[in-house]
Amino acid sequence: FRPSRVAVVVKTTRYEFEQQRYRYAGLSEEDLKQLLALKGSNYAGLLERHRIHTKNVEHVVDSLRNDKIEVRLVKRREYNEETVRWADAIISAGGDGTMLLAASKVFDKFKPVIGVNTDPERSEGHLCLPVRYTHSFPEALQKLYRGEFRWLWRQRIRLYLEGTGINPAPVDLHEQQLSQEQHSRAHINERLQDQRSDISGPHLLPVRALNEVFIGESLSSRYGVCSVLFRENFKSCKPSFKFSLHRASYYEISVDDGPWEKQKSSGLNVCTGTGSKAWSYNINKVAHQAVEEILNMAKNRGSLNMPLNTELVQKVTNDYNESLLYSPEEPKMFFSIREPIVNRVFSSSRQRGFSSKVCVRSRCWDACMVVDGGTSFEFNDGAIASIMIDTEDALCTVLLEE
């Protein structure tokens, strides 16, 4: 590992986001402080986290430049394909979300992407280097130079889209905080601007999923939106509420080229080994309480001839939850049907499981296919998605030896 040029992709902190959000309203820093207080946010806390992040970014950049490496520092919105082509390696400076963004534009299997957690106290950083290297990045660099690491090839999901009236133009969600209505409008605008919307497919989408792909209606649950109207002095406010009805996701699904099955649910999640520790795990994990109640029922029916205790319940709970996890390097996917509706019309023969290919035919009205929580594609009635893993899409990352 001896790069000459490195692109450092930097996250937008919450403090920066709030500044950008109200900049065009002409708010002063004091106005911003008062507004954040009204929202229950701590201005001083946000500013302190921003300063910690900035200091750690400077540490990474200075470490690289001290080793005569040319550095290009880019914010999330400035990060593009040209920057990726220019760099020999990509470093994400933020948390897991920044790492997902950095990885999303890298299609060269041999271009390393390395994550640095710039705020370890507030960010888990599963995809980043161990937190001790946040403050001692030169040590990490020396280990990389000496080869004291192993390459970790994280498998990724590729997506093909085909069917009637499909729109392969993505909407980037990383820098946008969109309401459901704004989200739908953004997809419509992308369709009007993109000349490829008439393609019937199959069309390989220009993104790879490192964590997961989620398919579902935009209104997957009932919600209430409270909007607050602020006066000039921020002294008074008028709340208003808007409610939308629940809309289940309606689609047909085929797993590993098996028969098509009509389903209604709260959506479909398909993850990689990397993503098996993320949203997928939280969808499928069981609680200690649930396992205890099931084992007690089995015992009461005479089907379980062993004493029940906390240690046994915890072991069964842990064994099941650990079975949901697998290596990021394994070329397979894990699909999960969220809250399936089962009746005489709709079925769900498999609620979860490993697969090499998942095909979904949309019967939805206002649905999206979201990749790693950051890129969204319109996915409505007539569209068909083929979801699979190709080992050529693997992301090159590193695992430092401890």
Side-chain angles (χ1 to χ4, degrees):
F1 182 84
R2 274 287 180 179
S4 299
R5 297 183 294 191
V6 170
V8 179
V9 184
V10 184
K11 79 171 183 180
T12 299
T13 65
R14 171 76 186 282
Y15 172 77
E16 290 174 308
F17 171 76
E18 296 291 355
Q19 273 196 325
Q20 294 167 7
R21 188 179 184 184
Y22 296 107
R23 179 180 299 163
Y24 296 108
L27 293 183
S28 66
E29 199 73 6
E30 186 60 32
D31 291 335
L32 177 60
K33 187 183 299 186
Q34 292 182 37
L35 184 57
L36 289 173
L38 282 172
K39 292 166 51 176
S41 296
N42 186 330
Y43 171 86
L46 295 183
L47 184 58
E48 176 63 18
R49 305 323 301 178
H50 170 74
R51 287 172 175 165
I52 290 172
H53 160 76
T54 301
K55 181 180 178 180
N56 288 329
V57 170
E58 291 173 351
H59 173 64
V60 169
V61 172
D62 290 345
S63 301
L64 292 166
R65 287 176 174 161
N66 288 340
D67 285 352
K68 311 302 180 186
I69 296 173
E70 187 178 353
V71 178
R72 182 181 291 186
L73 192 67
V74 293
K75 283 288 189 180
R76 301 179 73 143
R77 65 178 60 187
E78 302 161 351
Y79 182 52
N80 53 33
E81 288 75 10
E82 189 279 325
T83 300
V84 174
R85 288 193 297 270
W86 172 86
D88 299 319
I90 309 292
I91 291 178
S92 75
D96 286 339
T98 311
M99 179 67 175
L100 290 172
L101 170 72
S104 69
K105 298 185 187 299
V106 177
F107 294 93
D108 183 346
K109 182 178 179 180
F110 299 102
K111 183 162 295 187
V113 181
I114 300 171
V116 178
N117 189 346
T118 55
D119 192 1
E121 292 181 12
R122 297 296 180 91
S123 175
E124 187 66 32
H126 283 297
L127 304 178
C128 302
L129 295 178
V131 294
R132 71 187 187 90
Y133 295 116
T134 297
H135 306 294
S136 58
F137 193 65
E139 182 185 347
L141 285 176
Q142 291 304 315
K143 285 193 171 187
L144 293 171
Y145 298 155
R146 295 193 298 265
E148 296 175 7
F149 69 94
R150 83 168 182 86
W151 296 114
L152 181 63
W153 302 95
R154 295 183 181 271
Q155 299 298 321
R156 296 191 289 180
I157 294 171
R158 63 166 51 190
L159 299 148
Y160 291 90
L161 195 59
E162 60 185 303
T164 57
I166 67 169
N167 179 17
V171 169
D172 188 351
L173 305 180
H174 279 295
E175 290 293 337
Q176 302 183 56
Q177 298 292 316
L178 301 180
S179 68
Q180 184 271 332
E181 181 181 357
Q182 291 170 324
H183 193 175
S184 298
R185 191 183 307 126
H187 276 297
I188 293 171
N189 291 339
E190 288 290 347
R191 173 186 285 182
L192 293 175
Q193 294 170 11
D194 199 290
Q195 300 300 314
R196 297 172 297 172
S197 60
D198 293 332
I199 296 175
S200 60
H203 180 77
L204 178 61
L205 297 182
V207 67
R208 301 292 182 269
L210 180 57
N211 260 2
E212 77 272 314
V213 177
F214 176 75
I215 294 175
E217 286 278 6
S218 298
L219 296 177
S220 59
S221 62
R222 185 180 177 89
Y223 72 97
V225 177
C226 172
S227 59
V228 183
L229 305 177
F230 293 98
R231 307 300 181 190
E232 284 187 4
N233 59 4
F234 307 114
K235 299 292 185 182
S236 61
C237 62
K238 180 182 179 182
S240 64
F241 294 86
K242 180 175 72 174
F243 290 94
S244 297
L245 296 177
H246 168 79
R247 183 183 291 162
S249 302
Y250 176 24
Y251 54 87
E252 298 171 35
I253 183 172
S254 168
V255 177
D256 292 333
D257 293 320
W260 289 88
E261 184 175 76
K262 289 183 180 180
Q263 289 187 348
K264 270 192 177 181
S265 71
S266 294
L268 166 69
N269 180 291
V270 184
C271 78
T272 63
T274 297
S276 68
K277 292 183 178 181
W279 189 9
S280 173
Y281 179 77
N282 289 290
I283 290 173
N284 294 291
K285 70 178 181 181
V286 295
H288 181 281
Q289 179 183 352
V291 173
E292 184 176 26
E293 291 173 358
I294 291 170
L295 291 178
N296 274 320
M297 289 178 186
K299 185 175 182 180
N300 292 337
R301 288 178 175 270
S303 303
L304 191 64
N305 296 316
M306 64 174 67
L308 286 184
N309 54 51
T310 301
E311 184 179 351
L312 173 63
V313 173
Q314 192 60 56
K315 185 179 188 310
V316 172
T317 303
N318 292 343
D319 287 349
Y320 176 82
N321 289 339
E322 288 172 9
S323 73
L324 302 171
L325 308 176
Y326 61 106
S327 168
E329 294 184 300
E330 286 193 62
K332 63 182 181 181
M333 305 180 298
F334 187 85
F335 71 91
S336 309
I337 312 298
R338 294 180 64 207
E339 300 161 337
I341 297 172
V342 179
N343 53 34
R344 64 182 180 82
V345 178
F346 299 101
S347 60
S348 180
S349 57
R350 292 178 66 195
Q351 190 170 339
R352 66 183 67 85
F354 292 101
S355 65
S356 58
K357 180 181 180 183
V358 175
C359 294
V360 183
R361 179 184 291 119
S362 176
R363 297 299 183 211
C364 298
W365 292 100
D366 188 20
C368 297
M369 181 164 59
V370 182
V371 179
D372 285 340
T375 305
S376 177
F377 296 88
E378 185 178 336
F379 191 66
N380 291 324
D381 190 25
I384 302 172
S386 296
I387 306 168
M388 62 193 72
I389 282 182
D390 188 319
T391 54
E392 289 302 309
D393 297 327
L395 183 73
C396 180
T397 62
V398 300
L399 190 63
L400 285 182
E401 294 181 2
E402 291 297 330

